[in-house]
Amino acid sequence: MIVITGGAGMIGSMIAWHLNTVLGRDDIVIVDHIHHPDQWQNLVKRRYVNYLDKDELMAWLETSSTKIDAVIHMGAISATTERDFNKLVQDNIHYSQNLWAWCATHEVPFLYASSAATYGAGEHGYNDNEAMVDTFRPLNGYGYSKQFFDQWALRQVKEKLPAPPQWCSFKFFNVYGPNEYHKERMASVALHSFNQYRELGTVKLFKSHKEGYEDGMQLRDFVYVKDAAAVVAHFLTHPEHSGIYNVGTGKARAFKDLATAVMTSQEKKASITFIDMPQDLHGKYQYFTEANMAKVQAAGYNQSFYTLEEGVRDYVQNYLSQPDPYC
């Protein structure tokens, strides 16, 4: 049995999709706490044996006689704009620590979501070397909550305190793709671009407020959610590997490239309008991210990633443009 927290979210539901369609597994328990009224749609096409609210999970784990093969922990507050740090501590740190402790006691692999937000402005690069973790300075509370848990996990291992037999932290970069509509403001630029173009005939991108970057040429490592799910599944089937791992493509691309791909995937002429960045993002905005993927490759993952154009085309043509957009 595999437990997926955040299983009704974008990455969690797509990991379930990968387990169902690629690995042929349906012995899955989905855990989440759904807020968006339509988010249940992310589960309709999945095969799984049970759904639990996140507040039910620990009691279920303690009393269930079912053998758990792994806990894939994707559940968290993922909004980079979250200002209530007490909520971040409770949901992103303490909840994760409780799951870690249970997995350590019961010798169950623990795979969890970290974030490229831990790298801050990228002044120390985007290298997933564990020895560098303490040098990173996240730009927001969300990033720090993920950074804190990574540091805590490394300390558990270094000090030979209880730890799961396998543990993997996944620093997801800019993930886009099916099943993200419920994220609203925090949804990817790909989804926002699609909706804006349908409604307005143009795509809005932030003006640059940093020397050296032209408007629309801010660079991010955009990774298609199907690739993100495949990387997680690789480690699920290779329990000999533990540590912190980047999940990106290793190639930074411009927001302008992504927006253009969204429009041309609809066989439409590109039209981009540049707007001022919201004040709450000033000083907290990454202008460049690019995952160093050497560790993932060294762990045996040798599958090719969707290019930006390939991923956007699949997303737009096979999901966003369809009457039933859910994967």
Side-chain angles (χ1 to χ4, degrees):
M1 190 76 68
I2 298 173
V3 174
I4 306 176
T5 74
M10 174 175 65
I11 298 176
S13 66
M14 292 304 293
I15 291 171
W17 168 83
H18 188 98
L19 293 176
N20 283 172
T21 63
V22 179
L23 299 183
R25 295 194 64 163
D26 56 11
D27 56 334
I28 302 168
V29 173
I30 299 290
V31 182
D32 214 312
H33 187 70
I34 291 177
H35 294 285
H36 192 285
D38 294 326
Q39 197 174 342
W40 58 272
Q41 296 270 21
N42 288 353
L43 303 176
V44 170
K45 297 179 183 179
R46 299 284 62 80
R47 301 189 309 275
Y48 59 101
V49 299
N50 202 358
Y51 174 90
L52 299 172
D53 184 270
K54 75 179 186 69
D55 293 332
E56 299 175 317
L57 176 58
M58 293 310 303
W60 181 84
L61 287 172
E62 294 294 351
T63 58
S64 176
S65 59
T66 303
K67 182 181 182 298
I68 306 300
D69 296 320
V71 172
I72 302 176
H73 180 38
M74 298 291 114
I77 295 174
S78 59
T80 59
T81 55
E82 177 59 60
R83 293 291 181 264
D84 188 339
F85 191 70
N86 291 324
K87 287 175 61 177
L88 289 167
V89 168
Q90 187 63 39
D91 285 7
N92 292 7
I93 298 175
H94 291 168
Y95 195 89
S96 301
Q97 289 172 329
N98 291 338
L99 283 175
W100 173 288
W102 185 90
C103 288
T105 299
H106 294 85
E107 299 185 339
V108 172
F110 183 58
L111 288 65
Y112 70 91
S114 183
S115 172
T118 57
Y119 289 116
E123 62 270 35
H124 297 291
Y126 299 93
N127 191 328
D128 48 7
N129 183 344
E130 285 94 353
M132 297 182 64
V133 167
D134 289 342
T135 68
F136 303 139
R137 295 293 179 267
L139 299 177
N140 51 57
Y142 161 75
Y144 177 65
S145 71
K146 293 296 188 179
Q147 164 85 343
F148 181 96
F149 188 73
D150 282 340
Q151 292 173 308
W152 181 87
L154 288 170
R155 189 162 56 250
Q156 299 297 109
V157 175
K158 180 179 179 180
E159 297 179 3
K160 301 189 185 315
L161 296 170
Q166 179 197 24
W167 67 275
C168 295
S169 164
F170 298 109
K171 292 198 176 195
F172 293 108
F173 278 65
N174 284 73
V175 184
Y176 68 96
N179 296 1
E180 64 166 324
Y181 59 91
H182 64 280
K183 297 177 70 174
E184 298 179 339
R185 184 186 179 188
M186 291 296 110
S188 73
V189 175
L191 179 57
H192 287 304
S193 296
F194 180 86
N195 290 336
Q196 288 172 6
Y197 193 69
R198 282 277 175 104
E199 180 182 354
L200 304 173
T202 189
V203 172
K204 297 179 181 180
L205 295 179
F206 292 148
K207 295 177 182 177
S208 174
H209 295 272
K210 187 172 184 177
E211 186 176 352
Y213 289 87
E214 296 180 8
D215 293 342
M217 297 306 294
Q218 303 94 324
L219 299 167
R220 297 287 179 87
D221 192 332
F222 298 105
V223 58
Y224 196 36
V225 69
K226 291 182 180 180
D227 284 327
V231 171
V232 173
H234 171 80
F235 285 89
L236 179 68
T237 57
H238 290 79
E240 68 275 17
H241 295 295
S242 291
I244 295 176
Y245 296 95
N246 283 336
V247 182
T249 65
K251 184 174 179 59
R253 297 291 301 274
F255 280 103
K256 187 176 180 179
D257 294 337
L258 183 144
T260 299
V262 169
M263 291 179 276
T264 57
S265 292
Q266 302 173 70
E267 300 181 353
K268 303 287 187 179
K269 183 178 179 181
S271 173
I272 296 174
T273 302
F274 295 105
I275 61 173
D276 290 328
M277 185 181 297
Q279 194 62 39
D280 64 344
L281 292 182
H282 282 258
K284 300 178 176 62
Y285 186 83
Q286 294 170 308
Y287 276 77
F288 173 85
T289 67
E290 185 176 82
N292 183 326
M293 295 298 290
K295 269 182 70 178
V296 168
Q297 293 165 356
Y301 189 80
N302 55 16
Q303 301 299 311
S304 60
F305 286 79
Y306 283 81
T307 67
L308 179 65
E309 287 74 16
E310 290 169 344
V312 167
R313 188 181 308 116
D314 184 59
Y315 187 22
V316 169
Q317 295 183 356
N318 295 324
Y319 299 98
L320 294 179
S321 298
Q322 299 302 317
D324 180 2
Y326 310 102
C327 186

